[in-house]
Structures are given as C-alpha cells and as structure tokens.
Amino acid sequence: MLRASLREVSAALKEGRVTPTELCQKCLSLIKSTKFLNAYITVAEETALKQAEESEKRYGRGQPLGVLDGIPVAVKDNFNAAGIETTCASKMLKGYISPYNATVVQKLLDQGAVLLGKTNLDEFAMGSGSTDGIFGPVRNPWSYSRQYKEKSVPKSHSQEDEESNWVITGGSSGGSAAAVSSFTCFAALGSDTGGSTRNPAAHCGVVGLKPTYGLISRHGLIPLVNSMDVPGILTRCVDDAAVVLGTLAGHDPKDSTTIQDNFKPFDLPNLTDVSKLSIGIPKEYHAPGLSSEILSLWSKAADLFKNAGAKVIEVSLPHTRYSIVCYHVLCTAEVASNMARFDGLEYGHRSDMNKSTESMYAATRREGFNDVVRGRILSGNYFLLKQNYENYFIKAQKVRRLIANDFVKVFGSGVDILLTPTTLSDAVPYMEFIKEDNRTRSAQDDILTQAANMAGLPAINVPTGLSERGLPVGLQFIGQSFQEKQLLTVAKWFEKQVKFPMIQLEVKRHDHGAFQHQKSASFS
Amino acid sequence: MAAAARGYSGVWRRAWQRAVACNARGGAVLAGKSGLAPWVPVVGLEIHAQISSNSKLFSGSQVQFAAPPNSLVSFFDASLPGTLPSHQNGSSAVVQKLLTGVLNRRCVEAAVMTGLALNCSINKKSLFDRKHYFYADLPAGYQITQQRVPIAVNGSLSYSLCIDNKMSQMVTKTVRIKQIQLEQDSGKSLHDDTRSQTLVDLNRAGVGLMEVVMEPDMCCGEEAAAAVRELQLILQTLGSSQAVMAEGQLRVDANVSVHHPGEHYGVRTEVKNINSIRFLAKAVDYEIERQIEELENGGTILNETRAFDSKLGCTVPMRDKEGKQDYRFMPEPNLPPLILYDAKSLPANMNHQQVVNIDWIHERLPDLPSVKRAKLVEQYGILPEHSFTLLNEDGLTEFFENVVKQTQMKPKKVIGWILNDLLSYLKQHSLTVEESPVSSVLLADLLNLLEKKEISSTAAKQVLAELWKGEGKTPLEIVKEKKLELIQDQKELEQICQAVIDGQENEVMAIKAGNRKVLNKLIGLVQRETQGRSNPVLVKQLLEKKLSE
C-alpha cells in the first residue's frame, strides 16, 4: 500500500480498503526502519496519529475533506508548522517552535492531510547535497536499492562498503525527496530557489515540481532568496504533483507576490497526440561536465518526442551561462538581508556572551550558523556595500532580466516547453561529494535548474531512467509562466513513455543489523 | 499636543532675540568670536512623523500609545522567520488587491495628503527598500523604507517667524522639502543600567512613519523650530499625524554644519534626542556655537551623531552611533511597487475607494494653517501675528471664534482679551485651552457686560479673576455679588465727583490753570471712590462739566 501513488491510496481510503490510522502507522513504522536515511529531522508521531484519527472520523461520517484527507505527507523543515520544531537544520533555530503554520502547511492540513514530520535539508536550504545541516547528511534511498547494489557493489553486502558507497540525495530538499522515494510518505514539500526541489528529485527518482513564482504562497517558508523561492512539490508521479499543486496554488493575502487570480485545480488529460507540441532543446544546457549517459538520455527523450510527431527544435538561451555567477550575487545579497533577523534576541539560539549587545550578536551568529551560511552572509553584505552595489547587485539584476528575456523570446517564437537535463550526472557517493566545498558544488549542481528560478518559470523533474550505476537520472521540462497544466500534461505523457523503474529498497533492520528484502511489487 | 505647544511658546520668544542677530546681517551670517571671518550655519532637518492610524504599516496590529509592553505585536512585527509584510485587517479583499494587498491604505493616504500639503509632486509609482542595521529594537535587522523612489518629492514649506520681541514684525521663509518617504517605525529599547539589561518593547515596531526630509535651507535654531512648528500644525490639521513630540509621534533630527561664505559646506553633525520644539532651537543653536568655537580653536568637526542633553543644554557624541554606517540598501523583494492614481490614470471601472486617487485627496484637503490665518485676519480684522498665536495654541482659534459669535464686542477687541488675559492665565497655570476654567460662553457673557457698559473694564478684570476660580458662577452673578455694576444713577455719580473736586483744591487749581493731565488723577480718584464701578468716560464728562462751571 505504501508504494501506491497518492491518487491510488486516496481511492483506497475512500473505499475503506485502508484506514487513515493504519496508513499513518505504517508510514511511521517505515520511517523508523529507514531512520538511517536521516530523511526526517522531526517525526510528529503523536500529532500525526491524532490527525489520522480525525481523518478516520471524517471517512466514517462519509465526509472526507478532499483528495488529501488521511494522506501522510512530509514537509521540509524550512516551512513553519505550528507546534512542531522548525529548525532549518541550523543550530540557530534548533528547538524553535513556530506559533503559526505556513500557508502551504495550513492548506495541506485543511485538506485533511496527515503531517508526519519535518524533513532534512542543508542548513537554511543553502546547498545542493543535503549534506550541510546540523543533523547530518541525508542518505539517498537508492544507495540501499537492489538496483544500485547489483551494479555498484555486486559482490559485497558488507557494512563498510555500504558506509563508503552510499550516495547523496542532492539538495537542498534531500529529506523530502528521500522520504517520497523511500515510501515513508505520499507527497512532500520542498523549496526551490536554484533547483533545490528538482535536483534531489532527480537523484532520488521522484517527480519534483517547481511551480511558477507567485503561484504558491511563500508565507511561512523561511526564505533563502525571496525573489526566487518557490515551495516545491515532490511526489511519485506527475498526476500526484498536479493533485498537490491544486490544493496549494492560488492567491494568499499574506504573500503579496502571489497571483491575484484564484487558481483552478485541474486533472491531467492523457495526451495521445503530441504532434502540435513544439519542444525546445536549449543548446546551452549541453554544459561542461554533463555526463555522457545523461546526454544520451536527453537526446533519446528528444527523439521520443520527435518520433511521436512533436516538433523538436534547438533553441538558444545565450545568457543562461551567466546565471550561476548572477545568482551568486543576488542570492548572497538576499541571504545577508534575510539572515539579519537571527540575532538571538527574539527567538532561536542566543550565545552566553553578555559583554555587550554587539558581542552577543556576533557570538550568537558565529555559533548559530555554519560556514556556508556565514560565507554567504559575508559576500552578500559585501555586494550590498554602497561602493559595490552598482557594480554587483544592480548588474546582477540586469543580467537576471536578460536571462528571463531569453526565455520570453524562445517561448515567443512558438516553443511550448523546454526539455533539458536536471543534473549533470547521477548522484555521487557522499565521500566523493564532500571533497568539494558547498559553494563549488552548488555552482555545479544548480547550473541546469537555476535559470528557471531567475525567470520565475515552472519546471519539473521527471525520473527518466537508471544510470550505469543503477541510480536514477531525471530530465527537466521548463514551461511558460502559469502554464502548469500544459507543463504537467507533457510531463505526464513523457513519464508514461519512459516507464521509470520502481526502487527495490532493501531496508536494514536496525535491531538485527540484517537486511530485510522488501517485495517490489509494482503498481501499474 | 498641548505640552509641546506650551513648551514651545517660551522659546518662541527667546529665540526671536537671536533671530534679530541672524537676520540683521541679511541672512545667516554669524560673526565668530575672533571677529575675522563670519560663519554661515546650515541646518537641515529629518523629521519622522508617526502616521495617525489604528493599525501598523504592513501588519494588522493595533497602534496605541502606552499600551502594555509587547501587547501589540504580530508575528511579522516580531520578525518571526517566514513572515511577510501583509496588512490584512479592515480593508476588503478588493481594496487589498488593488492596493497591492500589503499596505495600510490609511498610511498611504496620510502620506499623499502630507505630500500635497507640502507642495510635493506625488510619485504614482514608489518603491520600498530595506535599510540594514543591527539594533535591539529592530527585530528584522532592517527597516522597510523608501530610499530610491519615495512617495513624494520636491516640495516646500513656508513658515514665519518674528524678528523682534514684540511680535510685530514677521518674516516668512521657505524650506525645500526633499522627499517624504513611508517607512516602518522601530520598537523601543529600555535600558536598565543598574542591572545592565536592555528591555525591548515591540509595540511600536512596524508602525507607519512619514520621514520628511528638509533641505539645509535653515540657519539657526529658531528657524528650525518655526519650520517644525508649522509642519506640526499642518500634520495636525490634516490629521495625518498627531505629531505630539512628547509622545514621540514627531521626532526631529537636525543636521548642522557651519562654513565661511563662498566656501563649501562644512562637515555636518546629526543631532538626535530632541524631545520638544524648544529643545530643537536650543540644540541647533548650541551645536552651531560649538562647531564655530571648535573650528576657531583650530579643531575639526567630525561627521558624527550627537545627542542633545536637555538637562545640560548641550550636545554630546552618541557612543553607539560611532563608526561609519553602511546601511546596505536593497530593494524589498516582498513588496510590489506602490501604485497611486490620479483622475487621468484612474481606470474607468474603479473608484476612489478601490485605489488611492491623488486628485480625490487633493480636492478634499482641509484649509492649511496659512490659509486659516489669512482668513482670520481678513474676517476679523486682527493682526497677522495674532493669527499665528491663535493657531499655535491648540483650540484657541475655535475658542476665539466662539466668543466672537456670542458677543457684540468687536473681534479686534475680543482678541486682546483672548491673548492678553486668557492665554497668559493659561500659560501661568500650564493649562491647555481645553482645560480652561473659563469657557467661551462665560467669557462672552463677561465681554457682553463690558460692551453694554454695565461694568467697567477694571471691574471686568475683577470678574475674570473670580471666574478663574471655576466656582460655577456666571459673570452676572459675580457682578451682583461683588457689586461691580457701573453706577447708573447720575446724581450719585455727580455727588461723588463733586466730593472729589471739593477735596482736591490744588489739583483743581492746576487744571484750571491749563494742566489738563491732572484731570486723569481726579478720574482715578473717582474710580477709587466707586471701586471701579464708574464709567470713566462719563466721569470725565462730569468732572469737566463741573470744573468749567
């Protein structure tokens, strides 16, 4: 049951084949047995069971709130959820209990969803590995899949091999991606500022949707870059992403940057004819470092569309190559500003230093933030200095406009959707990943996802196939502003064609230290 | 309000003496002690006026003076992680939508009104910025303000000040208004020195402010004081701010520098902590003199922030404002531009309730103080300087007009009673017009008795003295009780006059010899005899008649 899609399990709940409480308990127990993945920071067992109980009553009365009623979900730990710790994986907010729900959390709860807990991330979502939080790195569930083991460590199942071979989830929403991928929840929220939802979705073999900027409220999302942050949706399939999007999207008076119009939830049609579609292949996404297997997967995908009758054309987004350096300036500047509130006075960590207010601030921020966060604050403040503002911030804003205009031009030329890789390669082992610093990694890993954030466009990772090492590889579709329906419809068609294999997870039982083979009966 | 106004009058007068020195040299040139090169002081002002509104600028929290600490604080006001600016309460969804959904409409209207009253051009599109600095009462670590494109720019303010002691010569000056920006107020820090603690009250955090930036067009304390007083009156007339300095609704920072004529402006200091208009004049004048002295002694002026110490009457460097501040301004990413409309740009399907329409506000601006003064002068024939005094005291104009309505006495005469008697009494007793024990009705009754010649003016003053006691008696009752009516019986008066003449042989001789002045002494004696109950005009006639017999 846990491997079902959200829509399938919703139907099962409705038909009484499973109760919300049973479902919740199963998820909680799987969370426990997959604890080593480190996907969750907080498991809200008690409140989740209570919510499941409430849901059960509603089903009993025949009055479920909606399609999400009784569905266990998880939320990245940079969204506020009342009464539960909201840590951002930072010492700065460890133990911080928010008094309010983020709008997206509230909307999930209003739909009857069961909130299992808060998922792991890079500290304040700054990273691309989910390796840089105070609660430790998230392990990619595919590290423990039969597919990976057979290809990468075929002869040995020893502890040491596993320890050295486990791969990262990507980030920064790695906890959410791992949670969905390991079947501990049916949908999870991530956030996406430069690729933080799509990147781990690609590495974990799940669907990761970054909606158009302004379609979903950011109220309650602890910001990284206000002008680029979007709540992201991680699910097992495209249809599920559409369902979750339908419950979250729309105007929020608490976020003035949300669209004014009401959003009409939609069901995705089954596309049969793609001949009217025009798919753009941006040549700049053939980036240095792109692995040959992804490149070939990408061109296969293009052929798939071509063979089905779609128009596939090469397009150019000439300014995309500046997006990483431009992002570096804009991101760090906003980070410097957004992080200013963490001073130890109103909430969060406060240093014992009490010589003066200033020394307390300094010590609090030094102790509370990791090097990555402090580094970004430092460079951001540098870019905002009076003497640097014109040369860096203003220039970066102009470049951002150019990057966004590239997309406008391409879409204006008749292209419906862009098809690109999501990542340069499949997930790398943790030991490999940490050889480079966070900044280098982020710069590399965001390269294919980041421009969509600059332009505010919707984009989705669709799991496409497995690499030679048996790890997931995804491709990205980038759509036009607020054209989520078109984007998801195409993504759904593609998903159907590629038949991404289901993870065959071999979950370690902690008490026995042995392996339990789980059946990989797949739903179809 | 009253406290500030009262406090002000004192300086008003004292300051004029200095103004003479200032203006007599044809502007703002002060001779240094050395007597060699003259100095030109330059004064600019940054004024923060708290917008009179029930709720905060970007949140629905209430605004209230002296509420229990931290009782009016939303999650946004406390800068909890993940909160965004959003003013939700009160206005309908439609209004919010058109007004960008986040701003307190009232605050926007107040700023537009103020901008129009100060002859500014109103920007139909203005932007918000973040200004960063760490301070205990600034929970976000930045203030949302309008640095790049403020809501109003390029205005002017005319103000008048007297250049002598007698208030008989007024000059009108103009200061340019650089801009008016909407911004958030900070919270308040309360320092407990004994326990070396700082307590923070966030009730004020996020309250809407208008920062009015005045160009350095002033040259001395009293000019600054007069400009601020005029601004204060305008804000109060508009209702855009209560502008009570004592309650922190109007905060004035003065930028002061001095230089020699023909040279570049000198290094300026910023003087903060000025709690009243009286202190503003003092602080500015102190700072000008300090800088001149410093420079003449071969010293230099540091570009620093100084606080005015009202007890010592001097400015001192502020320690926590040391070092160069770089506010690292950045566009506020969570707020769309603030869009205003005028009659031309207003979309056809919208009305003034859905958007902020500049023209609609313009048409409804109340009479500004300058217009009110001109009207008072024209309507009542009073002197211009009287109109200033009337407007300077909260409620005094209304009091005056009520008295005028209820008496036959000419306004020109009424104003004397209002300014010389009523006002000086109130001043002596530190009372506001509203607190006056003598109402306009009572004063009018009294002036009517005088006007109908039922009592003399001497008696009227006595009655007024009784009325101050506030015992609830009417002027007529007091007149009766104290027997203050004029002696209407001509024969009785004639007898008294005769008795005075009979007892003053020498004086009578002198008068008859042509020294008419002595007649006044006789009149005075009659007045004394009658205890002020005689009409001096009549007495004079009677005496003259008798002396010529």
Side-chain angles (χ1 to χ4, degrees), chain B residues 369-511:
Chain B
S370 55
V371 175
K372 275 195 198 166
R373 288 190 199 102
K375 283 190 179 171
L376 286 171
V377 169
E378 196 193 305
Q379 188 176 349
Y380 300 113
I382 60 175
L383 295 171
E385 49 269 33
H386 291 159
S387 70
F388 272 88
T389 315
L390 282 181
L391 258 72
N392 269 339
E393 290 302 323
D394 206 21
L396 193 61
T397 307
E398 292 73 21
F399 194 103
F400 165 70
E401 292 189 301
N402 284 337
V403 174
V404 167
K405 265 183 227 154
Q406 299 170 77
T407 65
Q408 292 87 50
M409 187 182 268
K410 284 197 173 144
K412 263 181 167 172
K413 276 172 80 184
V414 173
I415 194 75
W417 284 88
I418 296 281
L419 300 186
N420 300 332
D421 295 279
L422 177 83
L423 194 57
S424 55
Y425 176 87
L426 294 176
K427 288 270 151 67
Q428 270 169 32
H429 294 83
S430 298
L431 293 173
T432 63
V433 173
E434 205 188 333
E435 291 162 342
S436 169
V438 178
S439 68
S440 58
V441 179
L442 287 181
L443 185 61
D445 282 353
L446 173 62
L447 297 184
N448 277 335
L449 292 177
L450 181 64
E451 193 65 12
K452 282 187 251 162
K453 302 207 166 51
E454 285 175 27
I455 55 173
S456 69
S457 64
T458 320
K461 304 235 161 169
Q462 279 177 267
V463 176
L464 192 55
E466 282 298 310
L467 284 174
W468 288 129
K469 293 177 185 165
E471 289 167 349
K473 293 174 192 160
T474 67
L476 195 61
E477 282 164 358
I478 295 169
V479 166
K480 289 262 157 70
E481 200 177 290
K482 302 248 164 191
K483 297 202 170 59
L484 293 170
E485 313 94 321
L486 286 181
I487 296 166
Q488 304 292 344
D489 186 340
Q490 181 121 359
K491 270 190 188 156
E492 189 188 342
L493 206 54
E494 273 181 33
Q495 279 167 13
I496 295 167
C497 286
Q498 193 58 54
V500 168
I501 288 169
D502 292 346
Q504 307 292 326
E505 271 178 40
N506 289 342
E507 280 74 6
V508 172
M509 294 280 281
I511 292 165

Side-chain angles (χ1 to χ4, degrees), chain A residues 72-143:
Chain A
V73 297
V75 171
K76 188 178 181 180
D77 205 18
N78 59 350
F79 288 95
N80 284 275
I84 307 179
E85 258 189 72
T86 300
T87 68
C88 285
S90 175
K91 187 178 177 191
M92 190 55 96
L93 280 179
K94 201 176 170 197
Y96 173 70
I97 296 191
S98 172
Y100 75 99
N101 280 322
T103 298
V104 285
V105 171
Q106 191 61 53
K107 284 188 169 184
L108 288 175
L109 296 176
D110 288 348
Q111 287 285 314
V114 173
L115 179 58
L116 293 171
K118 308 291 287 295
T119 57
N120 205 347
L121 65 157
D122 289 298
E123 183 162 332
F124 282 100
M126 295 182 207
S128 60
S130 301
T131 50
D132 278 326
I134 51 157
F135 300 102
V138 186
R139 298 183 179 209
N140 192 325
W142 284 83
S143 316

Side-chain angles (χ1 to χ4, degrees), chain B residues 11 39 218 281 325 344 394 518 525:
Chain B
V11 164
W39 291 98
M218 292 152 286
Q325 280 268 13
K344 267 190 213 155
D394 206 21
V518 182
L525 286 170

